[in-house]
Structures are given as structure tokens and as C-alpha cells.
Amino acid sequence: MENLIALLVAAPLLGAAVLLCGGRRLDAVGHLIGTALAAASFVIGVVLFADMVGKDAEHREMGQHLFSWIPVEGFQADVAFQLDQLSMTFVLLITGVGSLIHVYSIGYMEHDERRRRFFGYLNLFLAAMLLLVLADNYLLLYVGWEGVGLASYLLIGFWQHKPSAATAAKKAFLVNRVGDVGLSIAIMLMFTTFGTFAFGPVLEATGETGEGKLTAIALMLLLAACGKSAQVPLQSWLGDAMEGPTPVSALIHAATMVTAGVYLIVRSADIFNGSPDAQLVTTVVGAVTLLFGAIVGCAKDDIKKALAGSTMSQIGYMVLAAGLGPIGYVFAIMHLVTHGFFKAGLFLGAGSVMHGMNDEVDMRKYGGLRKYMPVTFVTFGLGYLAIIGFPGLSGFFSKDKIIEAAFAKGGTEGWILGSVALLGAAITAYYMTRVMLMTFFGEERWRSRPTASPAEPSVEPAAEHHGEHAEPHPHESPRVMTIPMIVLAVGSVFGGAYFSLGDRFIHWLEPVTEHAHGHPPISALTVTAATVAVMVIGVGLAWLQYGRGPVPVAAPRGSLLTRAARRDLLQDDFNHVVLVRGGEHLTRSLVYVDHTLVDGVVNGTAATMGGLSGRLRRVQNGYARSYAVSMFGGAAILIAVTLLMRAV
């Protein structure tokens, strides 16, 4: 079975190579080739999963060594794979959800003339993410890490004829490069500290390593995770990434890019366990981001950007859980998997709404769509109930466990983290109810086609297969799009209960991540009751504001916080002032120092030597009488000095 591991990556990688290099002759079947190879990778994953389940928990890890990548004295880097319970979880999520998104894309991208290229990029995305989670060493993981960044750049900017899409792709690429610097530094520190990049030797040696070194490595890994998973302070790219086709948004948010940072932290659990300071910083980053994303999601009228804020917030929950250590690792991954179901379903549902609404994304121009799109309404609604933590659905089980683990941290820190997690749950219920009400309930605002508010202009149509100004005629999407949505809705409903039954998911991951049962200062039943209560409050507030009366066709001015949230809490303004303007001032300062100090020293030295040379040159005038006088003067001076010294 070990020989099948490489095929997980090879199948979508082959699809990417064939579709991107095969030319226009494959235009008619390119989408079928890409989908078939993604599905083939999923089937291989299922076969390996069945084999793994049939073994004892201690013997489930398997590996495959392909070749020595860089074999030199004192430096060994291999292309080798490691498949254990953690990586298998990601394999099934990536290939399963990824295959459903491929199927959905057949219908969504039907009229795009570059559909073959799009499926080639999707296959490349899957291959890079699979390489990332299957690598058995950090250096090979880095290759997959950069591959994910490249694929996201290509897909976010797929419609590069739109300046906004091209800008968003560059922004995502550049922001992620900042995080990538952290990962590269962490890998260098690992090699200088442990002499290797391989997971096994590195993680086993952490118990004998000083806390300072572990803290430095862990913080660099966290910086890398912040970039890929859009966590504060490297979160600014995620909202703009919605410029890509909707299937890309679903893939990035549910199965690939933003999950990579959580994987990196959990895979490096032993490093973080050895550094309480790094764990504290990780929990703070997660707590801040979950509130940051939730607040941004409350103010967005663009349905995809509202869901993007939601992703930022939900990934914040996962990072918070991962920072809690052994009491939170399992729940971080559990929420990641359930989030993969309902967030992919929500984005595909948003794409279905756009498909029936001439690619309109402004929710102020929706309303009453439930009777025109019944399948989309039901599947999107189930994803909505799952993400707000409605009792019995998947998000209820996974998010509730994270909140319990936060309180179980103990002390003042535990109370703060638990309270922040509860507040985030209330805000999540509010903004997702707002999305649901503005889209599927109320009056049919799309009939009047009001002008968008200048506070948040409507995004250009994402695709070109509908008329930009044509009157929309809402209709249900074709089966090739609705079937993947139905499958994901089933996972949104039953996934959490299945994982929680008998602590099934805990037992599955425990051999890899370990698990420590926390003891919150309040009972688990009380935490659950509080979680449900804040969820009901959030839903109620949204209903009072958007369910009882007409939705304003133009966004009201709102409070200072609302206006800031519409501008992503001024994250781009902050980056511009601190980084762009700061960089400009730093550059000018360096130029001034270079011109005045460096060039001054160099030019001054040259001028001094030139002046001395000019004066000394006068001595060498070529006249014998001058040389004779100089010799006579020198001899006289020597005689005078000699006589003086004897006299003394």
C-alpha cells in the first residue's frame, strides 16, 4: 500500500501537466480529464484509508521514499512521503471536497473559453496541497507550500483582464511571501539546531532543546501560518481573493490554502509544546482574528466577502485551539474538517445564487430567492445552521469543543479566551443570519435594480456568460452544480455528530497529536448552554434588523465601527501607512545616509588623497638642482638631530 502514496500527488499533477501543456485540442474534454484525475486521487485516498483503519492505531503510519533530492555531506534532503492519521485526514478532505468542487466547476465554468486552463490550475492546486500535507520533512513541505501560493495566484487572477482580479492576485502573492520568509527562517533554524529537516528527528529532539530556540522556531512557523491562513497581521489578502471564480473561493477556504497554516502548527505540535510563550502568542492571534473576521463579516454586502470574513473568523477558532496545546489540537482539526463541509457548501451556494442572478454579488439586490432556488436555499440553509452552531449539526459539535477547551485553559487566560470564543459565536450567528435573510427572504429587491451605494460599490460580474446589465431571471442551477452542494450539505448535517460519537475523532488523531482532557472551571453542559444562548441572541438581533422590515437598497452610513468594518477594519490603510509609507520613508532615509555619509566618506577620502597627491607631485619636478637641495636639506636635518641627541 505504501507505493500508492505518491499516486495521490501524481494523479492531479499529471492532470495539471496534460491540461496546461496539451493545447487547444483538449478544450472539449479538459474539464473531464481534470475532474477524473481529482476523483482518482480521492479513490486512492479511500483505499489507503481503508487499509489504515484495518491496522492497530500504533501501526497505522506508513511512508514512501522516492529518491534523495539533495544528497551532500552534512546535508540530506529526500523526496519522501509520510501518511499517518493527521495527513490522511487532510488527504480525504482535500481530494473529497476538491473533487466535488471540480464537478461543480463543470457547470459553473461551462461558457468560459479558458475552462481547460482553469481545470489545469485546479489540479495543480490539489497536487501542491497534497504534497504539503504528505511530505515527511519541512523542506519538501516548503515546496508544496510555495506550490499552493503559486496556484492561488493563478486562480485568484484567472480573469486577469479585470484590474481588480490582477491586483488581488498580486496582493495575495506578496502578503504570503511575508509569511513564507517565516517558514524559510524556521527551516534554517531547524537545520542549525537539529541537523535535519525530517519531522521525526526534529520533533523527537525538542525535549532536549532549549526553550529559547524552540520559541524562535515556533514563532517563525506561526508567521508562516498567519500568511497562508489569513490570520492577523497577514489577513488583508483574503477578502480581495474573492475576485477569482467562486469555485476557487470554495477550494481556498474549505480544502486547501487557508487550512495549511493550521496543519503546520498541529504537525509541529512538539515544538509549540516546548514553548509556552509561542503557545500564548498563537492563542492571542487566533482570538484576535476570530473577532476581526466576524466584525468584518457583519458589514459586507458582497455575499462572497461576507463569507470570506467568516472563514477568517473560523480559522481563528482553529488557531486558538491549536495554541491551547494537547487539549486543543484534536478539536482544531475536527473543526477544520467540519468547516470544510459547510464552508464549501456555502461558497458553492453563493456561486449558485450568482449563477441565477447574472453574477450579481450585492445582497442588497437579492431577496426572496428561496422560491426560485429551492435546492440552493435548502443546502445553503443547512450550511448556515452548521456554521452558527445550531444544536445537532456539525459546527455545533466542533466549535463547542473549542470553546470548552478555551475555558479549560484555566485561570484568567482561560476565562478571557473562552469569553472571546463565545462572543465570536454570537457575532457569527448574527452575520450569517444577515446573509441568509438578505439573500433568501424579504422582498425581491433585484427587480428594481437599485444603484449600489458609493460606500461599497458592487463588484464587477465575475464571469462573462451573462449580460452585465440584463434583468436577472433567478433560476435553480443545473444538477452538475446542485449535486455537490447536496453532498456537502449532508456532511454539514451529520459530520460533527459522527466524529463526536464515542470520541471517534479524538481516538483517531490521538496517536499523532496526543490529547489531554481539560477541566473547565464550569461544566461542559453550562458551556453548551451558553453557546446555544449566544447563538440565539445573534440570530434574534439579525432578525430584528433584517427580518422584520425592508432591507435598505443603499447601505446606511452607520457607526464609526460599521464604516471601519466596511473597509476591513482599516487593514489596508494600516498596511499602507505602516508598510508602504514606512517603507518609502525608510528608503528615503537610506538614500540620504548613502548620499551624505557613505558617499561623503568615499568622495571625501578621494578628494583628500587627490589633494595630497597634487602637492606631493610638485616635489617630483624633474630638476636635478631641486633634488640636490632636497638631499642637502635632508642631510642637514639628520646631522642636526644626531648632534642634538648626543648633546642630551
Side-chain angles (χ1 to χ4, degrees), residues 207-218:
E208 303 172 358
T209 307
E211 184 178 322
K213 290 184 177 179
L214 293 180
T215 299
I217 295 173

Side-chain angles (χ1 to χ4, degrees), residues 377-401:
F377 168 64
V378 172
T379 55
F380 192 97
L382 291 173
Y384 151 73
L385 292 174
I387 194 173
I388 69 172
F390 190 84
L393 275 71
S394 60
F396 168 77
F397 292 98
S398 57
K399 190 188 297 183
D400 187 71
K401 291 295 185 182

Side-chain angles (χ1 to χ4, degrees), residues 11 14-16 18-19 26 29-39 102 119 123:
L14 174 64
V18 170
L19 294 177
L26 296 178
V29 295
H31 56 288
L32 300 178
I33 295 173
T35 303
L37 287 171
H102 275 70
F119 276 83
N123 274 195

Side-chain angles (χ1 to χ4, degrees), residues 230-251:
Q231 299 292 285
V232 172
L234 301 179
Q235 79 287 2
S236 62
W237 65 270
L238 191 62
D240 297 82
M242 298 304 98
E243 290 291 341
T246 300
V248 176
S249 302
L251 194 61

Side-chain angles (χ1 to χ4, degrees), residues 15-362:
V18 170
L19 294 177
L20 296 177
C21 301
R24 295 187 178 276
R25 66 178 68 91
L26 296 178
D27 282 355
V29 295
H31 56 288
L32 300 178
I33 295 173
T35 303
L37 287 171
S41 185
F42 174 67
V43 171
I44 295 170
V46 171
V47 171
L48 289 168
F49 173 71
D51 178 69
M52 181 178 287
V53 170
K55 300 177 181 178
D56 295 335
E58 295 76 15
H59 302 93
R60 286 175 174 170
E61 182 177 339
M62 60 183 80
Q64 182 180 7
H65 182 277
L66 294 185
F67 57 89
S68 294
W69 177 18
I70 311 176
V72 296
E73 184 177 357
F75 185 95
Q76 179 72 30
D78 297 326
V79 175
F81 300 124
Q82 170 183 303
L83 187 65
D84 56 18
Q85 291 91 323
L86 178 60
S87 51
M88 175 56 76
T89 301
F90 276 83
V91 164
L92 294 178
L93 176 67
I94 295 164
T95 58
V97 174
S99 296
L100 291 173
I101 292 173
H102 275 70
V103 173
Y104 177 93
S105 300
I106 293 175
Y108 190 85
M109 301 294 290
E110 180 179 4
H111 301 283
D112 195 294
E113 61 182 12
R114 299 169 66 236
R115 181 166 65 164
R116 168 186 55 82
R117 185 183 296 271
F118 178 79
F119 276 83
Y121 291 159
L122 286 185
N123 274 195
L124 179 63
F125 212 162
L126 291 191
M129 189 65 189
L130 287 168
L131 178 62
L132 190 158
V133 301
L134 287 170
D136 84 333
N137 62 83
Y138 284 96
L139 195 60
L140 187 60
L141 178 149
Y142 188 78
V143 177
W145 192 270
E146 292 300 322
V148 167
L150 171 63
S152 66
Y153 169 77
L154 296 172
L155 285 167
I156 293 170
F158 184 74
W159 286 313
Q160 68 266 26
H161 60 276
K162 295 168 51 182
S164 57
T167 301
K170 289 187 289 185
K171 183 177 182 179
F173 191 81
L174 292 174
V175 173
N176 273 273
R177 296 292 73 74
V178 178
D180 295 349
V181 170
L183 182 56
S184 62
I185 293 174
I187 293 174
M188 296 176 195
L189 290 173
M190 288 176 192
F191 185 74
T192 57
T193 302
F194 306 110
T196 180
F197 310 108
F199 291 147
V202 168
L203 299 179
E204 289 173 2
T206 55
E208 303 172 358
T209 307
E211 184 178 322
K213 290 184 177 179
L214 293 180
T215 299
I217 295 173
L219 291 178
M220 290 299 100
L221 293 174
L222 177 61
L223 178 63
C226 287
K228 279 291 182 287
S229 293
Q231 299 292 285
V232 172
L234 301 179
Q235 79 287 2
S236 62
W237 65 270
L238 191 62
D240 297 82
M242 298 304 98
E243 290 291 341
T246 300
V248 176
S249 302
L251 194 61
I252 288 175
H253 289 246
T256 54
M257 190 160 176
V258 298
T259 65
V262 181
Y263 171 80
L264 181 65
I265 295 173
V266 176
R267 174 60 74 187
S268 309
D270 289 337
I271 296 176
F272 283 84
N273 290 341
S275 173
D277 291 338
Q279 287 183 323
L280 176 61
V281 175
T282 304
T283 57
V284 170
V285 167
V288 171
T289 306
L290 77 87
L291 290 181
F292 189 104
I295 294 171
V296 168
C298 291
K300 293 297 182 181
D301 293 318
D302 182 321
I303 187 171
K304 290 175 65 178
K305 290 190 175 182
L307 294 178
S310 169
T311 297
M312 190 187 305
S313 179
Q314 298 304 308
I315 298 294
Y317 273 103
M318 301 171 206
V319 172
L320 168 62
L324 297 174
I327 63 174
Y329 291 134
V330 170
F331 302 132
I333 302 302
M334 181 176 171
H335 192 53
L336 185 147
V337 175
T338 60
H339 177 265
F341 288 126
F342 55 70
K343 185 51 63 68
L346 288 169
F347 266 109
L348 297 189
S352 180
V353 171
M354 293 167 59
H355 179 83
M357 292 292 291
N358 289 6
D359 293 299
E360 179 61 69
V361 295
D362 191 341

Side-chain angles (χ1 to χ4, degrees), residues 412-484:
T412 304
E413 181 182 345
W415 279 104
I416 293 175
L417 295 176
S419 300
V420 168
L422 276 177
L423 178 59
I427 302 176
T428 300
Y430 171 82
Y431 69 74
M432 285 306 305
T433 303
R434 174 179 179 269
V435 170
M436 195 72 186
L437 293 174
M438 291 181 69
T439 302
F440 295 102
F441 294 88
E443 60 181 351
E444 298 173 354
R445 297 179 299 278
W446 43 270
R447 291 189 181 277
S448 58
R449 304 289 292 169
T451 303
S453 167
E456 187 177 343
S458 176
V459 177
E460 293 181 31
E464 296 181 321
H465 54 273
H466 296 300
E468 184 177 0
H469 300 291
E471 182 74 18
H473 298 284
H475 58 278
E476 189 58 87
S477 299
R479 288 185 179 180
V480 72
M481 294 172 64
T482 57
I483 289 176

